[in-house]
Amino acid sequence: MKEAFLIEGIGVEQALEKLRRGRVGVLAARRTQKNALVITVLKKDSKKVFAILRGSCYNVKKVCPLGLWRCFKACRRRSGLILGAVLFFALVLFFEGRILRIEVVGSGAYSKSEVLAILQEGGVTPLSPAPGKTALLTSRILSLPRVSFASLTFEGGTLTVQVEVSDEEAVFTPTPLRAERAGTLLELVVLRGTPAAEVGQEVKAGDVLISERVFYGEWEEKVLVVGYAVLLCPVEAFFAGTREGALEAAHLTFGADADLSAEPVEGGWRIFGQARFTFSSHMQ
């Protein structure tokens, strides 16, 4: 580490001789004015500089290293440009992930005012952060008259709300959410409907996971089921090629987090193990 000092006084060159006699190694010396020098010494000799020159006719003070001084002056000359760049990046960071525009599309776009009211109640407005979880908002939009499908997508500062309505003449038939595979129920989220299974339960393909029947005391109502279930299911498939290639193809098929093993068979590999599957009803 090095430090720089400004020495001012009459016959300032004699200060260098004093430092030499005091065994202070001067790494560099530069005259800045007729009676001023800037010297560079090792940091460990800094106290010696003050001790040797104290009480003499010289004025000694520590200064910024030359490189830092030049950098400081350059930054000061370009302060406006630097401030503009800082503000620009601050704005980029602020607006990144924030909603700049909300669009309601689909056959149910006529209900835009109701959809915007639901979003506002959920804290979703222009310049607010994009919603991370949209399930609750989706379920509330689905509660609007005739709405049969709703989804929220965010891209490039635009939150797009797709709202589709069922035909006025169409017959509305609520249906339950069923397991499409046999497996162990890992997660069950019910936004509308009645849970028909418990986490940790073994279910068979076709079993009801969320019922469309909702009970209010002795009164029963059939509703549009909104929710999803995550199952851990056994999987098995055949893939040709190398073992690594077969496992890679299997992970593309069953998911990157699938727990898979490979067994050689005639013409390729038998891939087997467990994978997670998500089954949902009226959710994105």
Side-chain angles (χ1 to χ4, degrees):
M1 296 288 292
K2 303 175 184 178
E3 289 190 340
F5 295 87
L6 174 64
I7 305 174
E8 297 175 312
I10 299 174
V12 71
E13 295 85 356
Q14 296 178 13
L16 297 177
E17 179 62 22
K18 287 188 176 184
L19 294 175
R20 186 188 66 79
R21 291 198 303 267
R23 298 184 179 180
V24 174
V26 178
L27 304 178
R30 177 173 56 87
R31 185 186 294 276
T32 58
Q33 296 178 18
K34 182 179 179 180
N35 295 321
L37 286 176
V38 172
I39 66 169
T40 303
V41 301
L42 292 175
K43 187 174 183 179
K44 67 182 182 66
D45 292 331
S46 297
K47 293 183 178 180
K48 287 185 179 181
V49 173
F50 286 110
I52 293 171
L53 299 180
R54 183 186 299 119
S56 63
C57 57
Y58 302 112
N59 180 28
V60 183
K61 60 181 178 180
K62 190 182 297 185
V63 297
C64 294
L66 182 60
L68 292 178
W69 177 247
R70 286 179 177 173
C71 181
F72 170 75
K73 291 196 295 183
C75 290
R76 187 172 60 179
R77 288 195 302 268
R78 296 172 174 81
S79 58
L81 181 62
I82 294 173
L83 180 59
V86 170
L87 289 175
F88 171 77
F89 286 110
L91 288 173
V92 170
L93 291 175
F94 176 79
F95 286 109
E96 185 177 7
R98 291 186 177 268
I99 299 171
L100 303 180
R101 182 173 59 177
I102 299 176
E103 290 187 351
V104 180
V105 300
S107 58
Y110 64 85
S111 58
K112 180 177 180 178
S113 59
E114 291 87 348
V115 170
L116 293 179
I118 291 173
L119 295 178
Q120 186 173 6
E121 289 177 7
V124 179
T125 60
L127 296 184
S128 70
K133 296 182 179 180
T134 61
L136 183 58
L137 293 172
T138 301
S139 67
R140 292 197 59 192
I141 295 172
L142 283 169
S143 67
L144 295 174
R146 296 183 57 215
V147 175
S148 59
F149 176 83
S151 70
L152 284 78
T153 56
F154 178 74
E155 184 176 359
T158 300
L159 178 68
T160 302
V161 185
Q162 183 179 357
V163 182
E164 303 294 344
V165 297
S166 58
D167 190 277
E168 291 180 346
E169 303 299 326
V171 178
F172 175 65
T173 307
T175 57
L177 174 65
R178 298 180 181 273
E180 298 178 19
R181 287 173 170 265
T184 304
L185 183 60
L186 299 180
E187 185 178 354
L188 185 65
V189 175
V190 182
L191 299 177
R192 185 182 298 172
T194 302
E198 296 182 352
V199 172
Q201 179 180 334
E202 298 290 332
V203 299
K204 298 178 297 209
D207 282 357
V208 174
L209 302 176
I210 304 177
S211 172
E212 79 281 19
R213 298 173 180 269
V214 177
F215 297 91
Y216 305 95
E218 298 181 355
W219 179 59
E220 173 188 334
E221 179 187 9
K222 289 187 177 182
V223 299
L224 185 72
V225 170
V226 180
Y228 69 88
V230 180
L231 272 69
L232 183 64
C233 306
V235 294
E236 181 176 354
F238 171 84
F239 294 92
T242 64
R243 181 179 184 277
E244 291 75 14
L247 283 171
E248 184 177 353
H251 277 114
L252 289 174
T253 301
F254 300 123
D257 59 347
D259 183 14
L260 302 174
S261 300
E263 179 182 80
V265 295
E266 184 178 354
W269 297 86
R270 171 179 168 259
I271 306 297
F272 59 95
Q274 293 181 312
R276 294 163 62 97
F277 292 88
T278 299
F279 308 113
S280 64
S281 174
H282 295 93
M283 295 191 66
Q284 184 182 351

